[in-house]
Amino acid sequence: SLARDPQGRIFLDFTPRLFEKVLSHLRALRLAGPGEVPKLPCVEKELEGEFRKMVEFLGVNGIFFGAVAGPNLSMRPCDANITVSSDLKVLTKVSTVGHAAAVSVTQFPEQDEVMWKASVHRLVSWVGIGVISN
């Protein structure tokens, strides 16, 4: 849970010049043209540990320290309640009623840990995401 001030606003207790580097880089990524990769910010040697902890806390460490390599996850629907984009990456629930399920087309490689990310772009009521392994 994030710390809040007496008015309920989120309080981020980070070194301002380090937090500024995160904000500036995220802005540069947003403004970058197709195929353009902004240069990573330079952090003073004595502040590298604090910077790493901060970006891990914020959940953006993959942007600054490289993403964890993982499988190219493609999905297919299990019922007519979901449509899938032509690249098999974007799932859209067709109906606002009931559950919907999708499964991976690709088998995960045998390794100790697999990390993947899901983004919810529009939430009408609630969402549950689960992983079943055999």
Side-chain angles (χ1 to χ4, degrees):
S1 156
L2 295 171
R4 296 184 180 264
D5 71 7
Q7 289 80 32
R9 298 175 295 209
I10 294 173
F11 177 70
L12 297 174
D13 187 16
F14 301 119
T15 301
R17 69 179 190 238
L18 293 180
F19 192 65
E20 179 183 8
K21 291 178 185 292
V22 171
L23 292 178
S24 293
H25 188 66
L26 293 175
R27 184 179 306 109
L29 287 169
R30 183 174 49 88
L31 298 173
E36 185 180 350
V37 180
K39 182 181 169 203
L40 287 170
C42 292
V43 177
E44 297 87 353
K45 189 84 169 151
E46 64 273 5
L47 295 173
E48 285 178 356
E50 181 182 350
F51 184 78
R52 182 175 290 275
K53 287 178 184 177
M54 179 183 62
V55 297
E56 286 175 3
F57 177 83
L58 294 170
V60 294
N61 47 323
I63 293 170
F64 292 90
F65 303 116
V68 175
N72 186 3
L73 186 63
S74 298
M75 304 295 287
R76 69 175 171 80
C78 293
D79 56 53
N81 209 11
I82 293 181
T83 60
V84 182
S85 64
S86 60
D87 65 357
L88 305 176
K89 304 275 182 239
V90 179
L91 283 69
T92 305
K93 189 171 179 218
V94 178
S95 169
T96 58
V97 181
H99 296 83
V103 296
S104 173
V105 174
T106 316
Q107 183 175 350
F108 286 98
E110 297 250 350
Q111 58 190 55
D112 292 339
E113 182 178 299
V114 173
M115 185 170 90
W116 54 278
K117 181 178 183 178
S119 298
V120 177
H121 295 279
R122 196 176 109 226
L123 185 60
V124 176
S125 58
W126 63 273
V127 66
I129 298 174
V131 176
I132 299 174
S133 175
N134 57 4

